[in-house]
Amino acid sequence: INYQMNIFAGNRNDLLEKIKAAMSVKRYEHVLRVETMALQLAEKWGVPAEIASIAALVHDYAKERSDGDFLTVIREKQLSPTLIPWGNNIWHGIVGAEMIKDDLKIMHEDILDAVRNHTTGAVYMSKLSQIIYMADYIEVGREFPGVAEVRALAFEDLAASVGWQTRHTLSYLIDKQVPVYPGTLETYNTWSI
Ligand code: GDP
Ligand code: FE
Ligand code: FE
Ligand code: FE
């Protein structure tokens, strides 16, 4: 796939180098599988391939940054102080989008929103956000009960598959007795009923 829209100043290989430098080999391979799945969903649901590719490649860009880095960005960019207690799982998308702007100079707001929403979902999700949220969950390396079913559903009814994921993630979080981010509950109430 050729980058022609100038969303990122470089070609796909240039972006791959930046992503690879920011994470472990294991996570980089996950990111490539998310891109493959996102491109298939983008083709099915009418989203431009270049946009799906870039969003997928950057979605976990910040995942290996330190807690201190995230807290600095929250303070310096005056993001909501309610983010402070949450930790990497919630920060790497919402706060990570700021690091993507600063480091990679990607300013495409729909791509940045897809990164912000990829872990918890959101009340409003564009087609692209839904695709990245789903591709992260159903990429071919993922294994969990029902994965084949939800993979098929993402190609039949994208919104219903968003609901499926949110429902299952919420059950999982409750089962593990870990705190549920309020945005996750809003996503559940919007997409899963
Ligand atoms: P990854 O970055 O590819 O591993 O996947 P995600 O960004 O989708 O998820 C990262 C982690 O966040 C997973 O372990 C999820 O279970 C977890 N997670 C998702 N929603 C919530 C939430 O509401 N609260 C908490 N505490 N964790 C969550
Ligand atoms: Fe993630
Ligand atoms: Fe996810
Ligand atoms: Fe991911």
Side-chain angles (χ1 to χ4, degrees):
I1 149 161
N2 258 338
Y3 288 177
Q4 300 174 314
M5 294 192 251
N6 255 26
I7 294 164
F8 171 70
N11 57 33
R12 180 172 171 277
N13 275 330
D14 299 325
L15 183 56
L16 288 178
E17 270 185 40
K18 303 242 187 208
I19 301 303
K20 195 171 191 178
M23 61 188 66
S24 69
V25 171
K26 216 177 133 143
R27 177 155 291 111
Y28 180 67
E29 287 169 352
H30 158 70
V31 163
L32 293 178
R33 292 190 301 268
V34 173
E35 186 201 29
T36 300
M37 183 57 71
L39 286 169
Q40 292 171 19
L41 289 167
E43 165 87 35
K44 168 72 192 180
W45 299 112
V47 165
E50 177 171 346
I51 291 177
S53 166
I54 295 172
L57 292 181
V58 302
H59 87 279
D60 277 337
Y61 172 74
K63 183 113 179 186
E64 297 185 16
R65 299 289 287 264
S66 69
D67 289 2
D69 280 4
F70 285 116
L71 291 167
T72 298
V73 171
I74 291 169
R75 179 164 33 82
E76 284 181 349
K77 301 225 177 186
Q78 300 183 47
L79 303 186
S80 173
T82 61
L83 286 165
I84 291 169
W86 283 94
N88 181 283
N89 281 167
I90 300 302
W91 293 336
H92 79 279
I94 299 169
V95 186
E98 303 300 317
M99 293 158 164
I100 290 166
K101 277 197 263 187
D102 291 347
D103 299 359
L104 305 177
K105 314 292 179 205
I106 292 170
M107 302 301 182
H108 191 289
E109 274 301 323
D110 196 27
I111 290 175
L112 296 171
D113 276 339
V115 173
R116 292 184 182 107
N117 297 337
H118 88 267
T119 304
T120 64
V123 170
Y124 176 75
M125 278 192 274
S126 67
K127 242 357 149 209
L128 178 70
S129 273
Q130 295 174 56
I131 285 170
I132 299 303
Y133 183 70
M134 291 316 301
D136 187 33
Y137 191 59
I138 64 173
E139 55 96 343
V140 295
R142 299 285 197 199
E143 258 319 327
F144 53 84
V147 68
E149 178 197 330
V150 65
R151 248 180 222 132
L153 187 58
F155 288 87
E156 283 152 18
D157 185 339
L158 183 61
S161 74
V162 169
W164 198 106
Q165 174 177 171
T166 307
R167 198 156 56 241
H168 285 253
T169 298
L170 185 56
S171 303
Y172 167 82
L173 295 169
I174 290 168
D175 190 57
K176 279 207 315 170
Q177 288 186 264
V178 301
V180 178
Y181 187 69
T184 301
L185 292 171
E186 291 184 344
T187 307
Y188 172 77
N189 287 336
T190 309
W191 291 86
S192 187
I193 304 301

